[in-house]
Amino acid sequence: MIDRVRPFSRSMRNGIHNYATICHTSDTHGDYERVKNFFEFSKYINADFNFITGDVMGYTPKNGNRYIDNLDEKYGKGGTCITLGNHDTYYLDMTAQYENSIKPLEIRNAYTCNNTPYYYKDDSKYKLRIVAISPYDYKDSAYHGTKCVLSQGQIDWFINTLATTPAGYGVCVLMHPPMTSYENVEMQNKHWQHYKDDNLEPCPVWESFTGISGQPIIDIVDAFISKTTISGKTFTNAEDNSTVTINADFSNVANNVEFIGHFNGHTHCDA
C-alpha cells in the first residue's frame, strides 16, 4: 500500500497526520439509506475524502445526484468526488450530465472543470490530484445503455491533466467501469453474478469498456507511470463510430509524482 493513502481505525487518526483517509462506495442504485450510511460512516471516522464512483441512480437519472449534494452539504467537508455511471447518464448528453450531477458539488468541493462531467481536484494538504473520468461522452440524449464513448477532447484533457501533475503529488483516478486490461474470464465471472432459477450462477464476461476498442485509459496510465510516450495510437468508439488518437508525452513528469490507484465500480463487488 502506498504510504500516502491507507485505511486505519478512528483511534489511530489522532496520532497520524500525513495520511489521507478515503471512503469509497459505488453502485448504490437509488438506495438513499446506503448513501446516507456511507456519509455518516465517513464522518464517524473523520475521513478526508469520499469517493463515489457511479450508478447512484436506479434506472432514471432525471433528478441527477441531488441527494448526494444534500448529504455532502450536511456531512462532507470539501472532499467528496463523484464520477458518473451508466445508470446516471441514461438519456443525458454531456451538458446535462454536468448540470444534473457535477455542478451542484463543484464549488463546495473545489473541482477544476470546464462545464463537463469530467474534472480534477488538487489537495495541497495531502498532495493528491484526483482525476474523475466520464466514459459516457454522449453528444445527444438518446438511450445508450452501457455503451462507452471517450471523445478526443476528453482524452486530450486526461493526458494534459496527468502531464501537469505538480511535483510531489500522487494521482487517484476515478471512473465507473474497471480500468483492468488484465482480467481474464475466470476473474470476471467471479465478479459478475446473477440469480437464475434461485441458484447463483456466473454471468458472461462483461467488457470493461463496452463499445471501445482497446484499453485507452490503461495505455495512458501505463505511460504516465513509466514516464514514457505514446505516439499516434488509436481506438474506436463503436457507439458513434469515432476514432480517437492518443499522443502523450510524460517524459517531463517529475520523478516524485506517483500513481496511487484507480477507484471504480460497475462490477458490484469489492475490488
Side-chain angles (χ1 to χ4, degrees), residues 160-216:
N160 183 66
T161 300
L162 293 181
T164 57
T165 302
Y169 272 55
V171 173
C172 297
V173 174
L174 279 58
M175 184 173 62
H176 182 61
M179 192 181 71
T180 49
S181 61
Y182 311 114
E183 282 193 355
N184 56 30
V185 174
E186 181 182 0
M187 290 174 65
Q188 292 249 13
N189 279 339
K190 287 180 179 178
H191 289 178
W192 279 96
Q193 296 180 327
H194 69 107
Y195 286 95
K196 181 180 179 182
D197 298 328
D198 296 324
N199 294 314
L200 201 61
E201 296 182 359
C203 266
V205 174
W206 287 60
E207 298 176 16
S208 296
F209 281 124
T210 307
I212 292 181
S213 65
Q215 294 281 354

Side-chain angles (χ1 to χ4, degrees), residues 23-51:
C23 277
H24 173 221
T25 192
S26 185
D27 295 85
T28 50
H29 288 286
D31 190 335
Y32 174 84
E33 288 302 319
R34 287 173 62 193
V35 182
K36 183 173 180 286
N37 289 342
F38 168 76
F39 274 98
E40 288 179 342
F41 175 75
S42 174
K43 182 179 180 180
Y44 175 76
I45 66 169
N46 196 25
D48 301 291
F49 300 97
N50 301 314
F51 290 173

Side-chain angles (χ1 to χ4, degrees), residues 10 64 67 70 82-83 108 115 120 152 169 175 187 197 199 220 227 233 247 253 255 258 266 270:
R10 190 184 188 193
Y67 69 89
N70 294 335
I82 68 169
T83 188
R108 186 187 310 124
N115 299 331
Y120 73 88
Q152 185 72 62
Y169 272 55
M175 184 173 62
M187 290 174 65
D197 298 328
N199 294 314
I220 293 168
K227 312 247 184 336
K233 189 168 187 175
N247 289 301
V253 174
N255 288 331
E258 57 185 348
H266 196 50
D270 292 331

Side-chain angles (χ1 to χ4, degrees), residues 230-241:
I230 303 175
S231 181
K233 189 168 187 175
T234 62
F235 68 89
T236 302
N237 294 298
E239 187 69 1
D240 64 2
N241 199 33

Side-chain angles (χ1 to χ4, degrees), residues 99-220:
E99 292 287 339
N100 279 21
S101 299
I102 304 302
K103 186 177 180 179
L105 297 164
E106 180 180 359
I107 295 176
R108 186 187 310 124
N109 292 284
Y111 299 162
T112 299
C113 62
N114 186 25
N115 299 331
T116 64
Y118 51 88
Y119 62 90
Y120 73 88
K121 170 185 172 63
D122 282 344
D123 184 89
S124 59
K125 178 179 179 179
Y126 295 107
K127 295 189 179 300
L128 289 177
R129 172 162 287 191
I130 302 158
V131 185
I133 298 173
S134 177
Y136 307 100
D137 205 334
Y138 305 142
K139 296 180 176 64
D140 58 48
S141 57
Y143 174 75
H144 295 273
T146 62
K147 298 295 178 64
C148 295
V149 176
L150 285 166
S151 68
Q152 185 72 62
Q154 186 171 179
I155 286 295
D156 291 343
W157 167 88
F158 181 54
I159 292 168
N160 183 66
T161 300
L162 293 181
T164 57
T165 302
Y169 272 55
V171 173
C172 297
V173 174
L174 279 58
M175 184 173 62
H176 182 61
M179 192 181 71
T180 49
S181 61
Y182 311 114
E183 282 193 355
N184 56 30
V185 174
E186 181 182 0
M187 290 174 65
Q188 292 249 13
N189 279 339
K190 287 180 179 178
H191 289 178
W192 279 96
Q193 296 180 327
H194 69 107
Y195 286 95
K196 181 180 179 182
D197 298 328
D198 296 324
N199 294 314
L200 201 61
E201 296 182 359
C203 266
V205 174
W206 287 60
E207 298 176 16
S208 296
F209 281 124
T210 307
I212 292 181
S213 65
Q215 294 281 354
I217 301 300
I218 281 281
D219 292 339
I220 293 168

